Amino acid sequence: MDENRAPIVPYVVIKHTGKVRDANPVRVVSSCNLEIYTFPFDVQNCTFTFRSYIHHVSDIKIILGKEVEDILKRSRSVLSTEGEWELMDIKSSKFKLSTFNQGEGNPYDELCFYIVLRRRATLYVVNLLIPSCFLITVDLFSFLLPPQNVDRSSFKMTLILGYSVFLLIVNDLLPVTGSTIPLINVFFAICLALMVASLLETILITNLLVGSSNFHPVPGWVRVLVLRFMGNLVWLPQKSREDKIILNPVARETDLKVCPPVTVERHVQKGEPGEMWAEAGDPTLAELKNLGNELQSIRLQVAQHVDGNQISQDWMQVGYIIDRLLFGAYCIFITFSFIVILSIWCNSYNQ
């Protein structure tokens, strides 16, 4: 409690009944222990105790000059300025304290006032909570950006840097005293952690989509767990594989033409196979053998290309499924966390 700085009034009021009223004003500057856990929706209970440490009840009696309701109305009218605090209620109680020396025959009078104050949270909601909700909403909807065409990670990194600058700017509005961490700090920490987690998820998905062509085939357990089970869970079922046969239109037209009957003469050659191929020293046969080897190599290359595309598509499907699954988990965690924090704030503010 600070020193009394009220002006001295050298006047007293004397009534016809013999009562003398000395209305000397007293300016009291006191402190109150604040419970800032539910900041900025906190309600504070402050206690003011008035008593004499020297005079007993036989010397000085401390009584209420007005009813508590009148004191509350008067106090609210005096608090005409719309400051940070709102006066909710005032209660009083009177005690008689006895000492060991005097016993209970000559106690001390003690008068206590219990003042209930509620913080006006409009300023903090507009400057702290609403911008945080906007930024976390933007981060949530950034999952709708296609990761294979848009650099989603750069967008999320910019969002994290902007939120960090925002926290540095509004740091002066946060309370710095108290034995407990305010719930609003937990709210800010959750928002920042969610943004960082979404950035890490984007890095993982981008790695799967961009580098899928260099990966090994999808393991069996990943195929069962992710492509089948999780894919059906997030409404991204695995597409069935269909072998496509491409027909040569020239060959098809040739088949449709009516060919005249051809007489095939079969000559039977005697001798060993090696002697037969050696005797047939036709350059056309060698050319056909080279053409057959080239067609075989082309077929192998096409088969490898098709298998590589299939592996890449499988890994891309795994990335899409994980991306949608983490998006759902992100939404559920945000909803649950916000509901819990808002319920705590509402219960504290309505008390």
Side-chain angles (χ1 to χ4, degrees):
M1 181 178 293
D2 198 0
E3 182 182 357
N4 182 21
R5 297 180 180 179
I8 300 175
V9 180
Y11 301 103
V12 295
V13 178
I14 301 176
K15 298 186 178 180
H16 66 282
T17 57
K19 292 184 178 181
V20 178
R21 180 185 178 188
D22 186 5
N24 190 16
V26 178
R27 180 183 177 183
V28 178
V29 180
S30 181
S31 61
C32 181
N33 293 327
L34 300 180
E35 296 292 337
I36 59 173
Y37 177 71
T38 57
F39 175 89
F41 303 97
D42 52 336
V43 177
Q44 306 296 336
N45 296 313
C46 298
T47 303
F48 292 94
T49 303
F50 299 92
R51 58 167 293 185
S52 175
Y53 287 92
I54 300 176
H55 302 283
H56 297 279
V57 67
S58 58
D59 300 327
I60 297 179
K61 292 183 179 181
I62 303 176
I63 60 174
L64 284 174
K66 296 181 180 180
E67 295 294 332
V68 179
E69 291 77 9
D70 298 334
I71 297 176
L72 179 60
K73 292 180 181 179
R74 174 64 178 171
S75 299
R76 287 177 176 174
S77 63
V78 171
L79 295 174
S80 57
T81 57
E82 295 292 332
E84 184 179 0
W85 297 97
E86 178 183 2
L87 181 61
M88 300 299 300
D89 192 13
I90 295 179
K91 297 180 181 179
S92 66
S93 60
K94 186 178 179 180
F95 302 97
K96 290 186 178 181
L97 303 178
S98 59
T99 59
F100 294 101
N101 297 330
Q102 301 295 332
E104 297 182 357
N106 197 11
Y108 294 93
D109 260 352
E110 182 178 277
L111 185 62
C112 295
F113 288 95
Y114 306 98
I115 302 175
V116 181
L117 300 173
R118 185 171 65 182
R119 193 190 304 268
R120 291 187 174 93
T122 306
L123 174 66
Y124 302 98
V125 170
V126 173
N127 293 333
L128 297 180
L129 297 182
I130 292 180
S132 297
C133 293
F134 283 163
L135 291 176
I136 200 67
T137 303
V138 172
D139 183 69
L140 178 64
F141 279 95
S142 65
F143 279 92
L144 301 179
L145 296 175
Q148 71 275 14
N149 297 329
V150 181
D151 195 358
R152 190 199 292 178
S153 59
S154 299
F155 177 78
K156 289 182 177 291
M157 181 62 71
T158 305
L159 199 62
I160 292 175
L161 292 177
Y163 191 69
S164 301
V165 173
F166 165 75
L167 293 180
L168 292 176
I169 293 175
V170 301
N171 189 35
D172 295 336
L173 296 177
L174 298 177
V176 294
T177 59
S179 58
T180 58
I181 299 177
L183 194 60
I184 192 171
N185 290 2
V186 179
F187 175 79
F188 291 152
I190 289 176
C191 293
L192 186 59
L194 288 174
M195 291 182 183
V196 174
S198 66
L199 176 61
L200 296 177
E201 183 269 344
T202 301
I203 294 174
L204 174 63
I205 299 303
T206 305
N207 184 29
L208 286 177
L209 297 181
V210 175
S212 58
S213 59
N214 300 324
F215 292 165
H216 294 287
V218 178
W221 65 272
V222 176
R223 188 178 299 277
V224 174
L225 179 62
V226 179
L227 294 180
R228 294 182 182 177
F229 178 72
M230 293 184 180
N232 295 327
L233 186 64
V234 298
W235 297 288
L236 283 176
Q238 185 180 8
K239 297 180 181 179
S240 61
R241 298 182 179 180
E242 297 180 357
D243 296 333
K244 297 181 180 180
I245 301 175
I246 302 175
L247 299 178
N248 189 352
V250 178
R252 187 175 182 183
E253 292 177 358
T254 305
D255 294 338
L256 293 177
K257 293 180 180 178
V258 178
C259 297
V262 179
T263 303
V264 179
E265 296 181 359
R266 187 175 183 182
H267 300 279
V268 179
Q269 296 180 358
K270 297 180 180 180
E272 297 296 331
E275 296 177 356
M276 182 179 63
W277 288 109
E279 293 176 357
D282 191 358
T284 306
L285 181 60
E287 189 70 22
L288 289 175
K289 290 175 64 177
N290 294 331
L291 182 60
N293 294 332
E294 292 178 358
L295 290 176
Q296 183 69 16
S297 62
I298 291 173
R299 189 186 70 82
L300 292 176
Q301 290 180 2
V302 171
Q304 292 177 358
H305 179 71
V306 171
D307 293 339
N309 287 340
Q310 186 61 45
I311 294 173
S312 178
Q313 290 177 3
D314 290 342
W315 281 113
M316 290 177 67
Q317 184 71 8
V318 170
Y320 290 139
I321 292 174
I322 295 177
D323 183 62
R324 183 170 293 187
L325 182 66
L326 293 179
F327 172 69
Y330 191 86
C331 295
I332 293 174
F333 186 79
I334 285 180
T335 304
F336 177 76
S337 302
F338 282 19
I339 288 176
V340 172
I341 293 176
L342 289 177
S343 62
I344 295 175
W345 276 336
C346 291
N347 292 333
S348 174
Y349 197 71
N350 295 327
Q351 288 179 356

